[in-house]
Amino acid sequence: MQTYSTDGYVMLSDALPVHKLLPFANVDGIGNRTSIFVQGCDIRCRYCHNPETIMPYTHSQLRSITSILEEIEQYRPYIRGITVSGGEATLYPQALIRLFSALHTMNLTCYIDTNGFFNLERTKELIEHTDKFLFDVKSLNMQNSLCATDRKNNMENLDYLLKLNKVEEVRTVFLKDIMDAESVVAAVSQRIAPHTDVQYKMIRCHLRGISSEYIPSLKGHIPSKADMQNYKQQAEALGVKNIILIY
């Protein structure tokens, strides 16, 4: 049975709900990393490419922190660290603090891939134990229709992490018309341009892996390659130099 705090955070300390663990990945942060996908997300993006991780976890998905550490120990000679994705990793702060504390004694770095809408006060201790964040910026003003959330604290959270030098990468998945693409590029670029080590990954939405219920409403909104080049040029004009464009 899931136990929640009053604001929806899951009170687990000795176990983590794991949907999948990939021993080796090179797209979830710099270097070869072990990726852990947690089960459960607090938003529902229409273009989610891991829709199977959205629903709340089941008891069978709980893995003890000890068992996770034992598995990662097998990969330690071949990895730089681990990245926890999902789902939304920040829903499980106490479990991740315990996991990250142990992994740091193994000289492994600990990253989190987040949707950016976390409660900052609930997450501050976890942030202290996290080396870097991969930070998704979904929208500034259209997140309700795009991701079924009315929260608008994502840029405030990004500012906080940037001040702490905790951001390795900002990611945006682009759609036309049903997201405020140009506003997102402007807001992100103005923030990360002074941080030359922060990478901006600009991703053209694709339909592979998306829940079938959303595909019809997205088909007419996939940006062209020319659109993506325009977004990139907009970011460059605002001073961002470290850009990866993914078609």
Side-chain angles (χ1 to χ4, degrees):
M1 181 177 179
Q2 299 189 35
T3 304
Y4 293 90
S5 67
T6 56
D7 54 5
Y9 282 67
V10 183
M11 306 299 287
L12 290 170
S13 60
D14 58 356
L16 189 68
V18 176
H19 176 80
K20 180 168 54 178
L21 188 152
L22 296 180
F24 309 112
N26 57 16
V27 295
D28 295 316
I30 293 174
N32 202 25
R33 311 186 68 79
T34 291
S35 290
I36 300 172
F37 293 83
V38 299
Q39 184 69 38
C41 190
D42 53 348
I43 64 174
R44 190 178 183 91
C45 296
R46 291 162 65 179
Y47 59 79
C48 181
H49 293 91
N50 296 311
E52 66 280 2
T53 68
I54 293 175
M55 296 301 292
Y57 67 84
T58 62
H59 182 76
S60 64
Q61 292 176 305
L62 288 175
R63 285 193 59 178
S64 71
I65 299 301
T66 299
S67 75
I68 296 171
L69 290 169
E70 288 173 349
E71 181 171 356
I72 293 173
E73 174 65 33
Q74 301 174 49
Y75 315 135
R76 181 160 61 143
Y78 314 106
I79 61 174
R80 181 177 293 187
I82 69 127
T83 300
V84 184
S85 185
E88 175 56 30
T90 62
L91 292 177
Y92 310 103
Q94 296 305 315
L96 290 182
I97 288 169
R98 181 176 173 188
L99 177 66
F100 288 1
S101 296
L103 290 170
H104 282 143
T105 68
M106 297 162 61
N107 295 317
L108 294 173
T109 57
C110 300
Y111 287 13
I112 284 178
D113 186 340
T114 179
N115 62 40
F117 294 112
F118 53 81
N119 180 310
L120 183 55
E121 290 305 314
R122 293 284 306 184
T123 313
K124 279 186 175 179
E125 186 179 359
L126 174 59
I127 290 169
E128 293 176 7
H129 287 80
T130 305
D131 295 292
K132 293 287 184 179
F133 283 79
L134 311 177
F135 195 102
D136 286 353
V137 177
K138 312 287 187 180
S139 173
L140 297 184
N141 299 302
M142 300 177 72
Q143 52 267 45
N144 199 316
S145 60
L146 190 67
C147 296
T149 181
D150 58 3
R151 281 171 281 174
K152 294 186 177 182
N153 61 337
N154 51 339
M155 303 312 290
E156 175 187 346
N157 289 340
L158 178 59
D159 288 337
Y160 182 82
L161 295 177
L162 286 169
K163 288 179 182 177
L164 296 176
N165 193 31
K166 292 277 187 173
V167 181
E168 183 166 289
E169 176 179 285
V170 176
R171 298 171 173 172
T172 300
V173 176
F174 285 89
L175 288 157
K176 290 187 67 176
D177 305 320
I178 57 175
M179 71 167 285
D180 44 350
E182 289 82 3
S183 296
V184 168
V185 173
V188 170
S189 299
Q190 290 163 2
R191 285 167 167 80
I192 69 172
H195 303 269
T196 56
D197 57 330
V198 177
Q199 177 176 276
Y200 194 12
K201 186 174 286 185
M202 311 178 84
I203 304 168
R204 182 190 185 202
C205 184
H206 61 76
L207 301 179
R208 297 184 301 277
I210 293 177
S211 179
S212 59
E213 66 182 293
Y214 292 121
I215 288 177
S217 68
L218 296 176
K219 279 186 174 179
H221 300 282
I222 306 298
S224 67
K225 291 185 177 181
D227 291 326
M228 294 301 298
Q229 285 291 340
N230 288 335
Y231 299 141
K232 181 175 184 285
Q233 289 170 8
Q234 180 188 354
E236 289 173 335
L238 290 168
V240 182
K241 295 181 172 57
N242 192 356
I243 301 173
I244 293 182
L245 197 59
I246 298 180
Y247 295 118

